[in-house]
Amino acid sequence: MNAEHWIDLTRHPSTRTESVRAIQVRVRRSANSELQLTFRLDGDIRRILVPSSSAPRIGTDLWRHTCFEAFIQVQGQPAYHEFNFAPSGEWTIYALSGYRSGAPLADEAMRPHITLHSTNSRLDLEAVVRLDTLSAIHSRAFLRIGLSAVIEASDGLSYWALRHPADKPDFHNPDSFALPLEPPVR
């Protein structure tokens, strides 16, 4: 049995864009330890700067350009993981022991599966993460999830998230991990 949610991301009020009308994310957590995230961007895709496709690989500084992100935290724990998914197929995973305290993980075994579909008015990026590669606990624990996007367009950068608790965009703020995910029913 799957737990599934569709959620609207909101643009941080300090950023502007006419290129993006909306961003939604569908979240599905399955009993087989998969977390499937579908980011849907509606807008003028021709004005969005999308990195060229490449072979799936670990990237660097993906958050400086069009990138979709997920933050995964076991409820009640300060540690969390940050996933960056680029439309190019590149990805980065960070292990953080607390607020912005950590480093990237260079483990190909943790590679998310990323697919991209695009038209002139919509871009869908799907990422599948294996929770059991993070730890055995992640598969069966109550999780708090943060979802966000950095969109680089011809009219500038915009920052999107479930919640913006600060004056400046800060996806690492624990208050932005606003989606609770119960353990799947087995």
Side-chain angles (χ1 to χ4, degrees):
M1 181 172 194
N2 290 335
E4 182 173 326
H5 306 275
W6 275 99
I7 304 206
D8 292 323
L9 300 185
T10 59
R11 181 184 44 78
H12 192 277
S14 71
T15 63
R16 298 279 179 243
T17 183
E18 294 180 12
S19 303
V20 180
R21 285 186 295 279
I23 299 177
Q24 292 184 308
V25 186
R26 182 180 68 183
V27 178
R28 293 175 35 165
R29 181 180 186 180
S30 68
N32 70 351
S33 296
E34 285 187 347
L35 183 64
Q36 181 183 33
L37 306 162
T38 303
F39 292 85
R40 175 167 285 165
L41 185 155
D42 289 310
D44 187 351
I45 303 305
R46 294 169 294 201
R47 294 176 62 191
I48 306 297
L49 302 177
V50 177
S52 300
S53 294
S54 67
R57 65 178 181 205
I58 297 172
T60 58
D61 296 337
L62 300 180
W63 47 269
R64 293 184 183 273
H65 304 284
T66 299
C67 174
F68 300 93
E69 301 181 350
F71 296 80
I72 302 172
Q73 180 182 54
V74 172
Q75 176 72 29
Q77 301 293 319
Y80 61 98
H81 289 85
E82 174 187 353
F83 285 79
N84 295 172
F85 313 109
S88 64
E90 292 178 292
W91 54 275
T92 307
I93 303 170
Y94 298 88
L96 299 113
S97 59
Y99 179 77
R100 294 188 180 270
S101 178
L105 297 173
D107 185 350
E108 286 286 338
M110 300 178 83
R111 178 177 68 154
H113 179 73
I114 300 171
T115 57
L116 181 71
H117 303 284
S118 183
T119 67
N120 287 338
S121 62
R122 177 173 284 164
L123 183 143
D124 286 340
L125 181 140
E126 183 175 299
V128 179
V129 172
R130 295 283 315 174
L131 293 171
D132 54 358
T133 64
L134 301 177
S135 79
I137 296 169
H138 281 79
S139 296
R140 61 183 187 279
F142 191 94
L143 302 176
R144 290 184 56 209
I145 306 293
L147 300 168
S148 55
V150 176
I151 306 301
E152 183 180 23
S154 58
D155 57 352
L157 284 172
S158 60
Y159 300 90
W160 300 73
L162 289 174
R163 183 177 294 156
H164 297 285
D167 291 342
K168 294 182 180 180
D170 182 2
F171 302 147
H172 290 263
N173 185 315
D175 291 337
S176 66
F177 302 172
L179 176 64
L181 282 184
E182 294 182 7
V185 177
R186 296 193 180 258

